[in-house]
């Protein structure tokens, strides 16, 4: 295994973006919220939403005391709104199980609603300084190219964590920097479509570069088109409910002009099934906002 840690640490020290969750004293709750928001959402979209969220709910206990509907409203247009509901449930669990303090243990974090391997390890490492491998999509691409000589990464697997562990320094603080640096490198230099190999700190060790940049195929799962999708219909329904909250909306009037009536109905039904909407007496509302019967 080549020494990737040394050039990554040096590069990160000079090139890391100034992001809120990287600043000293940001806190474990802020890190947790940022990780929920950053899932499949660009950094530039997340920052203003994150700041507004933490101004309104500076602690898990503050969020837990509010209605789930308020979390969905505050989520606004970030997308994948189930994350807002999961974050609210996690806040309740943190209040009830951990006295309002975000746990530092990976297993305790994994036991919270909506938290998987990546988020649990990210909070433990970036908020508490624990030594664990943290692997996101950008990290997988860096490892695939630099270590395996592949043009793109495959589907996530346990092998990713093992590969990242092998390049981590022993000291937890240095390991945290390498975790962050690998993600940062994949986000701004070793990008999926237009990698900037001339300025990459790993160029001399990169197996993909040494092999002449072969196209080894792209096994990444393609995201379905948003325009005309069920996701778009769900988003349109939620916007109506957020704009009307705390008042319910006549079910027949919810995106009544949607071009596909069956898709509209499926969107409403799926939101109810996911706990993102509640229906009663011909009215629809966000969860936790009482619907008059």
């Amino acid at each position: 295994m080549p020494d990737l840690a040394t050039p990554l640490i040096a590069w990160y020290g000079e090139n890391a973006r100034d992001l809120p969750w990287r600043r000293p004293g940001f806190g474990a709750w802020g890190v947790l919220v940022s990780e929920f928001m950053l899932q499949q959402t660009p950094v530039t979209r997340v920052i203003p939403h994150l700041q507004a969220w933490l101004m309104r709910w500076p602690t898990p206990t503050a969020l837990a005391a509010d209605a789930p509907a308020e979390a969905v409203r505050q989520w606004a247009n970030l997308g994948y709104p189930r994350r807002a509901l999961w974050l609210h449930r996690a806040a309740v669990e943190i209040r009830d199980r951990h006295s309002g303090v975000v746990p530092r243990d990976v297993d305790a974090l994994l036991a919270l609603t909506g938290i998987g391997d990546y988020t649990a390890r990210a909070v433990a490492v970036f908020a508490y300084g624990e030594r664990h491998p943290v692997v996101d999509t950008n990290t997988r691409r860096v490892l695939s190219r630099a270590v395996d000589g592949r043009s793109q990464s495959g589907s996530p697997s346990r092998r990713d964590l093992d590969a990242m562990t092998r390049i981590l320094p022993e000291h937890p603080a240095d390991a945290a920097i390498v975790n962050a640096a690998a993600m940062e490198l994949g986000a701004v230099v070793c990008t999926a479509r237009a990698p900037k190999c001339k300025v990459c700190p790993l160029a001399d060790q990169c197996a993909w570069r040494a092999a002449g940049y072969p196209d080894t195929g792209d096994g990444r799962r393609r995201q379905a088109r948003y325009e005309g999708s069920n996701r778009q219909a769900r988003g349109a329904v939620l916007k109506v409910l957020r704009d009307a909250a705390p008042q319910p909306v006549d079910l027949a009037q919810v995106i009544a002009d949607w071009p596909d009536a069956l898709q509209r109905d499926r969107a409403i039904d799926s939101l109810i099934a996911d706990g993102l909407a509640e229906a009663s007496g011909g009215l629809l509302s966000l969860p936790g906002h009482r619907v008059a019967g």
Side-chain angles (χ1 to χ4, degrees), residues 5 18 57 69 89 111 134 138 160 169-170 195 210 242 256 271 276 286:
D18 178 21
W57 298 302
R89 290 174 187 164
V134 183
N138 292 314
D160 302 326
E170 287 302 317
R242 285 197 306 267
L271 289 170
L276 287 163
L286 292 177

Side-chain angles (χ1 to χ4, degrees), residues 163-277:
M164 192 64 196
T165 298
R166 287 195 292 272
I167 75 168
L168 290 181
E170 287 302 317
H171 194 279
D174 290 338
I177 294 173
V178 171
N179 276 310
M183 284 190 277
E184 184 78 343
L185 189 71
V188 301
V189 174
C190 192
T191 57
R193 295 184 180 179
K196 305 176 182 67
C197 299
K198 290 183 179 179
V199 298
C200 179
L202 305 183
D204 291 343
Q205 296 101 319
C206 181
W208 186 49
R209 178 174 180 262
Y213 307 110
D215 183 354
T216 59
D218 189 348
R220 294 174 298 162
R221 183 179 176 183
R222 299 292 181 181
Q223 188 175 45
R225 181 181 173 185
Y226 181 74
E227 198 68 30
S229 67
N230 291 337
R231 278 185 58 219
Q232 185 185 30
R234 282 166 58 97
V237 172
L238 278 177
K239 184 179 187 307
V240 170
L241 299 185
R242 285 197 306 267
D243 290 346
Q247 297 302 314
V249 180
D250 187 326
L251 190 54
Q253 298 304 314
V254 176
I255 61 169
D257 58 349
W258 194 257
D260 185 337
L262 288 177
Q263 186 181 54
R264 167 196 177 271
D265 292 345
R266 286 198 305 270
I268 293 172
D269 289 344
S270 69
L271 289 170
I272 294 171
D274 289 342
L276 287 163

Side-chain angles (χ1 to χ4, degrees), residues 14-63:
E14 296 181 1
N15 296 279
R17 290 171 293 176
D18 178 21
L19 301 175
W21 46 90
R22 292 177 177 166
R23 296 169 189 164
F26 191 69
W29 173 237
V31 172
L32 180 61
V33 174
S34 71
E35 293 297 347
F36 265 80
M37 290 185 171
L38 286 165
Q39 295 167 22
Q40 303 185 68
T41 307
V43 166
T44 52
R45 286 190 61 204
V46 164
I47 290 175
H49 287 281
L50 174 66
Q51 292 170 336
W53 188 283
L54 294 177
M55 284 284 289
R56 182 171 183 180
W57 298 302
T59 66
T61 300
L63 175 59

